[in-house]
């Protein structure tokens, strides 16, 4: 047996690369990253691909490892080239992603040390760090010092956490579901519908409250609907507002909605996954007036703080409510629950073992400070306003004046199908690849969206977008 153990040990020790091997791999990875940042992918935003990354199947999972050069080439060709490049400053589609370099540094260290920051006992410093970041965000939104939340993988899970917490806090049981009423607008992000289903609330009654010309909820209509529902013996339970809708980036009238929610004892949740971090700027904060009246807020550091994908947050005013929904204990965890100086993420989320995702955010803020984030956010807002003005000068019809960093616009040609014409513009921009734009349809009207939230988007990229659009409307083929 000992012989066999030793033989296995020899092979299993490959899981612990020696110093020289580590250095070689580290250098290769570093060179790849530098090449990515300096050369190969910075200037294209969309790459039309025939193969769609199917060369990945030429690298099956096998008994023995392969040389790093081959592995990285496979990654470059199949993963880091085809289709959308979120690292490009020319990415104006959907909600542009981040990828601030310090995220990678934090993740690298979190992975190397593999600290378990789910339970205070296991890594008190890590839990303090994550809670400190949550309290920093809570302060930004105007929540009391007792508020907390949880760092999630993204906004979808943050919204889900808010829903399950609200459900339990309001004492909603399965038998009540069909009488429960939830209020939102058609502009609320679709992940909320998904989350309601996951939370077992598919049969709730959803009221879509009418919107004004800016696609914002009309508070009077909300109030009226709540009163009607109460009269009908239903259970009005939760209202959702958006602080930055995905389609047009507008903020619902949070204060008015908050007051109505409070008067009617509804849980008030704000989806600020996209827009929340604009609150870092004092000049932009007034747009969010009333956000502090909410019971919970979803906010995405992988959007508004430009971190790499994989970090969102749910902020909850009543920490106890979040705890009530998520805590659990098991006999095999008995050693872990003796210290409770700080609440543990494991008691505040569905996760137990988890990514130490706080480190990427903490190290970014520690190394860079808040100032560059705040400046970048203000810059993005101004770039969007600039674009909005300039694109109208080019002869495009523009949507409502942007509250934040998303504008919608379309070209109305003298003849022909307007929607098809604009769809064609989006297609041609994709073929060109220097920038990427996405579209939406609101009330049957096709709009092109211009969303600025990449930290690499500066005046140069916006001018390029305007230049390309000018060429397309002057005569669609000319610019190429
Ligand atoms: C992106 C977004 C979401 C979903 O968040 P993920 O991080 O993609 O899961 C929810 N709501 C809004 C307004 C968003 O912009």
């Amino acid at each position: 047996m000992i012989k066999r153990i030793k033989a296995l040990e020899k092979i299993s020790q490959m899981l612990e690369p020696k110093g020289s091997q580590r250095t070689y791999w580290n250098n290769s990875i570093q060179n790849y990253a530098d090449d990515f940042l300096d050369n190969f992918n910075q200037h294209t935003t969309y790459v039309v691909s025939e193969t769609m990354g199917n060369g990945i199947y030429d690298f099956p999972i096998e008994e023995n490892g392969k040389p790093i050069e081959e592995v990285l080439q496979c990654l470059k060709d199949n993963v880091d080239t085809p289709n959308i490049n979120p690292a490009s400053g020319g990415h104006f589609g959907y909600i542009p992603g981040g990828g601030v370099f310090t995220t990678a540094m934090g993740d690298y260290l979190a992975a190397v040390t593999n600290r378990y920051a789910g339970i205070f006992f296991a890594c008190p410093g890590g839990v303090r760090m994550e809670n400190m970041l949550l309290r920093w965000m809570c302060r930004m939104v105007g929540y009391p010092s007792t508020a907390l939340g949880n760092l999630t993988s993204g906004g979808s899970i943050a919204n889900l956490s808010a829903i399950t917490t609200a459900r339990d806090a309001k004492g909603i049981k399965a038998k009540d579901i069909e009488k429960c009423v939830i209020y939102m607008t058609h502009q609320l992000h679709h992940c909320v519908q998904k989350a309601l289903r996951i939370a077992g609330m598919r049969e709730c009654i959803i009221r879509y409250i009418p919107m004004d010309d800016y696609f914002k909820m009309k508070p009077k209509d909300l109030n009226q609907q709540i009163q009607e529902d109460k009269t009908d013996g239903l259970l009005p339970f939760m209202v959702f507002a958006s602080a930055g809708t995905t389609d047009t980036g507008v903020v619902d009238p949070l204060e008015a909605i908050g007051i109505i929610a409070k008067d009617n004892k509804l849980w008030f949740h704000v989806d600020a996954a996209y827009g929340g971090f604009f609150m870092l700027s004092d000049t932009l904060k007034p747009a969010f007036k009333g956000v502090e009246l909410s019971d919970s807020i979803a906010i995405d550091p992988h959007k508004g703080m430009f971190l790499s994908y994989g970090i969102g947050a749910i902020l909850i005013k009543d920490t106890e409510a979040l705890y009530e929904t998520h805590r659990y204990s098991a006999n095999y965890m008995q050693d872990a629950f003796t210290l409770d100086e700080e609440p543990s993420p494991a008691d505040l989320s569905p996760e137990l073992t988890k990514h130490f995702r706080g480190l990427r955010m903490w190290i970014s803020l520690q190394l860079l400070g808040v100032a560059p984030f705040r400046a970048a956010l203000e810059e993005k807002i101004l770039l969007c306003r600039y674009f909005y003005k300039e694109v109208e000068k080019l002869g495009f019809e523009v949507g409502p004046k942007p509250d934040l960093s998303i504008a919608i616009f379309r070209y109305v040609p003298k003849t022909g199908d307007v929607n098809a014409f604009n769809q064609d513009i989006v297609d041609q921009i994709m073929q060109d690849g220097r920038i990427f734009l996405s579209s939406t349809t609101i009330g049957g009207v096709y709009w092109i969206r211009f969303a600025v939230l990449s930290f690499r988007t500066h005046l140069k990229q916006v001018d390029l977008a305007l230049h390309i659009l000018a060429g397309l409307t002057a005569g669609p083929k000319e610019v190429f």
Side-chain angles (χ1 to χ4, degrees), residues 95 154-156 159 189 191 244 246 271 273-274 300 302-303:
I95 302 293
S156 300
N159 280 311
H189 195 276
C191 75
T246 308
D271 181 1
Y274 149 65
D300 261 353
H302 67 197
K303 288 180 179 160

Side-chain angles (χ1 to χ4, degrees), residues 115-116 119-129 342:
R115 295 307 302 223
Y116 171 54
I119 289 181
F120 187 73
F121 165 75
C123 182
V127 170
R128 287 185 205 277
M129 178 195 286
E342 278 281 344

Side-chain angles (χ1 to χ4, degrees), residues 95 152-159 187-192 242-247 271-275 298-300 302-303 309-312 406:
I95 302 293
T152 63
S153 56
S156 300
I157 302 298
N159 280 311
Q187 284 291 306
L188 188 70
H189 195 276
H190 72 273
C191 75
V192 169
S242 303
T245 57
T246 308
D247 263 350
D271 181 1
Y274 149 65
I299 184 168
D300 261 353
H302 67 197
K303 288 180 179 160
Y309 293 143
I311 184 165
I406 300 173

Side-chain angles (χ1 to χ4, degrees), residues 5-6 24 28 63 68 91 101 108 119-120 136 155 188 209 235 240 322 368 396 399:
I5 290 174
K6 294 226 159 133
Y24 186 72
S28 304
E63 270 307 287
I68 193 165
H91 184 12
F101 187 71
Y108 184 84
I119 289 181
F120 187 73
W136 175 70
L188 188 70
I209 304 303
L235 298 171
F240 291 88
L322 186 63
L368 303 169
F396 284 83

